[in-house]
Amino acid sequence: MKKKHRSFLYLLLVVCLSNIALHAHSASEMETLRHGISVLATPPPTPTPQFLYYCLNESAVPLSATASTGGTLRWYGNDATGGTFSTNAPTPSTSTPATGGSPIIFYVTQEIGGVESSPRTAIYVYVNQKLDLYCQTVTPNSIKFDFSNTGQASYTYSYSISGGTPVTGTHTSPSNFTVTGLSEGQTVEFTLTAMGAKTCVTPEVYSCKTTCVNNSNPNFAQIAPICSGDPAPVLANTSPNGITGTWSPATVSNTASGSYVFTPNPTAFPCATTQTLPVVITPRATPTFTTIPTTVCQNATAPVLPLNSNNTPSISGTWSPSTVNTSVLGPVTYTFTANAGQCVVATKTTATITVQANVAPNFASIGAICTGNPVPVLATASPNGITGTWAPAVINNTTSSSYVFTPTAGQCATKQTLPVTITPRTVPNFPAIASFCEGTTAPILDNNVASPNGVSGTWAPATISNTASGSYVFTPNANQCATNQTLNVTVNPRISPGFNSFSICSGSVPPVLQTTSPNGIKGTWSPAIVNNMNTGSYIFTPDSNQCANPETIVVTVIPSNTLTDFQWTVTEAFAENQVVTIIAIGSGGKYLYRLDDGPFQESPIFEYVSSGYHTVTVIDEGGCSLPIVRTNILVIGYPKYFTPNADGYNDRWNIFELQDDVGSKIHIFDRYGKLLKEITPDGIGWDGTYNGRPMPGNDYWFVVEYRENDILKKFKSHFSLKR
């Protein structure tokens, strides 16, 4: 059954169930509903009727429905839910016909005690409704026609089988009709007219064909390709398996390819299908051969005459003569005869091959080339017009070789070989120039004088320098196959013997002046002996034939025992930068200073010295005085923190540097100014407790009273207790 018929039955079922529900409510239930004691849905109203049928533009009356006692009807448009209702019944419009048999739908409910019935009841209005006629069941022997109800139950019908005599009659419910006693492949045309229906319900006509079980198809054999113009076969009207029918086109063309369709007789063979025979007409062709050259060179490899042409399809045949002779100059005609049974324009086809004489390229010989000189470009066309390629393609200007010219294919020409000679360059063989000492006479370079092996040329620079080493390049004159020659000339600079000035203490044993310098220069001194009492200059003169300069040194005689003592000053106690300054006492000389185990320095000032006792050493830089050492240099400061954790290290805080100041005393405060402890520098110091209770890790303040240079002073600062 079609989908819309199922929908119609479903809606009809809903209406019936709604009416049943309406009558199921008792009077007491309705009364309860009115007083709001329950929220049961009210029953839907009953439409009268639910299905309406109108012709196009026919006058219509308002819709109607019967409400329950105490109920008020509510009318909606095409809204199954939601929308806006009206208490006035709508009048359907008949100005637009139904689309595809679909009705116009209205909905009606009723309201009782403020509650609207649900679901809403649908009313269907059909305008120009048509019969819905279709084939419901088709078998090889029967066809069942189905049609929808249009408001009446009787019809007249008429049907014919495969164009035969019509059969007529009348029919009442059900809404279907079966034609039986059919054969497979027969067509039934069924006409249905509604009796007593409105005039707008027009008759419907529908055709169906019974199914085929035993299909029998024509089996004409395929037609082989036909050469254009040859006689064409006649198309038979009966297939080999006995099926009769007609062809379209009826006659086979012998000039153009085409398809020919055989249609079986529909009465005698209703279940037989058509058969299509494609017929190919092969056009006549002239054999073409793309591999046969028009010319060949004398004595070249003879081309093979192909036995099949390049056409599609190819044409086979034989040649006369059957082979090509390239030893005889001139043209020769070869005749191709096509084998029988092929689609050709003419049986014979000719091809002419001309044997041409070979020509030798006439490139001129190439003269000898000096190594490295520019080389000529090898032309790709000979003077007599033969084109081709060289191998190698470029002349090498360093090595003698032969170059072969190969003519481009298609030219009747032979190869040509050109030998090219590369002459190596002569290397001038001027002898090397020995090194000489700076400032002596330099050797002379002669321009325009040939080398010992006969190469003439010029030098650059032209003159050898006697002050600096350099390179001198000999360039051969033009038109000589020779290379440059470079002479590297070394000018040895005069060196210093390498003696250094030195100092001695007065009265000490004078050193012996060496006659050989540290870098091996030999010579003599003047004066020859060092004076150990007076400072003086001494001149070293190198022996001859040594590239060295005279050298003068100074021997300084330092007075002995000039350092007798030293004094010192220290910045005031607790200064941010504690500076110790040393004042040497002596009769002259240069001194070096050291604090504790540090390095010796020339400056007598030491900055940022830590608190405590320090040792200072002063020495004579020349070693002509004994060192002086003092160990009692005191710098007064205070510890910035202490750690009273009983590990034996830094457990108490004190300013021990003031222990010799018997009048000094120290007061310790917390950060709120509360006095925690009074100690003296010569005591054991503060252990970080107050009244026997450990104080927390924090910053603590102190005030120390002390004397410095017999002046009573006070100093305030703070330190950290760390736990």
Side-chain angles (χ1 to χ4, degrees), residues 598-620:
F600 281 99
Q601 64 183 41
E602 294 182 354
S603 173
I605 299 173
F606 299 94
E607 293 190 273
Y608 297 99
V609 181
S610 63
S611 60
Y613 284 95
H614 296 275
T615 299
V616 172
T617 304
V618 181
I619 63 173
D620 182 358

Side-chain angles (χ1 to χ4, degrees), residues 67-97:
S68 301
T69 303
T72 300
L73 294 177
R74 290 182 176 181
W75 296 94
Y76 291 88
N78 190 22
D79 296 311
T81 60
T84 303
F85 70 86
S86 173
T87 57
N88 296 321
T91 299
S93 171
T94 61
S95 61
T96 304

Side-chain angles (χ1 to χ4, degrees), residues 347-386:
T347 304
K348 297 183 180 294
T349 303
T350 60
T352 300
I353 301 176
T354 301
V355 178
Q356 296 181 344
N358 292 318
V359 178
N362 60 343
F363 289 102
S365 59
I366 299 174
I369 301 170
C370 187
T371 301
N373 277 1
V375 295
V377 176
L378 294 171
T380 56
S382 66
N384 58 350
I386 299 173

Side-chain angles (χ1 to χ4, degrees), residues 63-204:
L63 302 178
S64 64
T66 302
S68 301
T69 303
T72 300
L73 294 177
R74 290 182 176 181
W75 296 94
Y76 291 88
N78 190 22
D79 296 311
T81 60
T84 303
F85 70 86
S86 173
T87 57
N88 296 321
T91 299
S93 171
T94 61
S95 61
T96 304
T99 302
S102 299
I104 303 170
I105 303 176
F106 296 88
Y107 290 92
V108 62
T109 65
Q110 62 181 352
E111 176 268 324
I112 300 176
V115 179
E116 183 180 282
S117 61
S118 179
R120 299 170 184 174
T121 302
I123 299 177
Y124 302 91
V125 178
Y126 293 88
V127 179
N128 264 22
Q129 172 70 4
K130 290 188 177 183
L131 294 171
D132 187 9
L133 178 64
Y134 64 96
C135 295
Q136 185 180 42
T137 306
V138 178
T139 70
N141 306 112
S142 66
I143 298 175
K144 182 179 182 179
F145 292 91
D146 199 339
F147 37 89
S148 62
N149 193 345
T150 58
Q152 69 286 318
S154 59
Y155 307 89
T156 62
Y157 64 84
S158 172
Y159 67 85
S160 63
I161 302 172
S162 296
T165 303
V167 178
T168 61
T170 59
H171 178 75
T172 57
S173 298
S175 59
N176 56 71
F177 186 88
T178 302
V179 179
T180 60
L182 303 175
S183 300
E184 57 179 335
Q186 284 189 313
T187 300
V188 177
E189 183 178 85
F190 190 85
T191 301
L192 182 70
T193 303
M195 295 177 64
K198 294 181 180 291
T199 57
C200 58
V201 180
T202 59
E204 292 289 329

Side-chain angles (χ1 to χ4, degrees), residues 634-693:
L634 177 62
V635 175
I636 299 175
Y638 68 93
K640 300 298 188 291
Y641 68 93
F642 77 115
T643 56
N645 55 6
D647 64 352
Y649 297 97
N650 205 22
D651 287 334
R652 292 177 178 271
W653 188 89
N654 204 344
I655 305 176
F656 294 106
E657 288 83 358
L658 293 175
Q659 61 185 344
D660 293 333
D661 185 357
V662 295
S664 62
K665 56 184 177 180
I666 304 169
H667 294 86
I668 301 174
F669 306 87
D670 65 12
R671 61 178 179 170
Y672 303 107
K674 180 180 180 180
L675 178 63
L676 302 177
K677 188 73 173 178
E678 180 182 336
I679 61 175
T680 59
D682 60 349
I684 61 175
W686 183 45
D687 62 357
T689 65
Y690 177 69
N691 292 334
R693 179 171 55 85

Side-chain angles (χ1 to χ4, degrees), residues 425-428 473-476 482-486:
R425 292 180 179 273
T426 301
V427 180
V473 179
F474 178 78
T475 302
T483 62
N484 294 349
Q485 181 183 3
T486 300

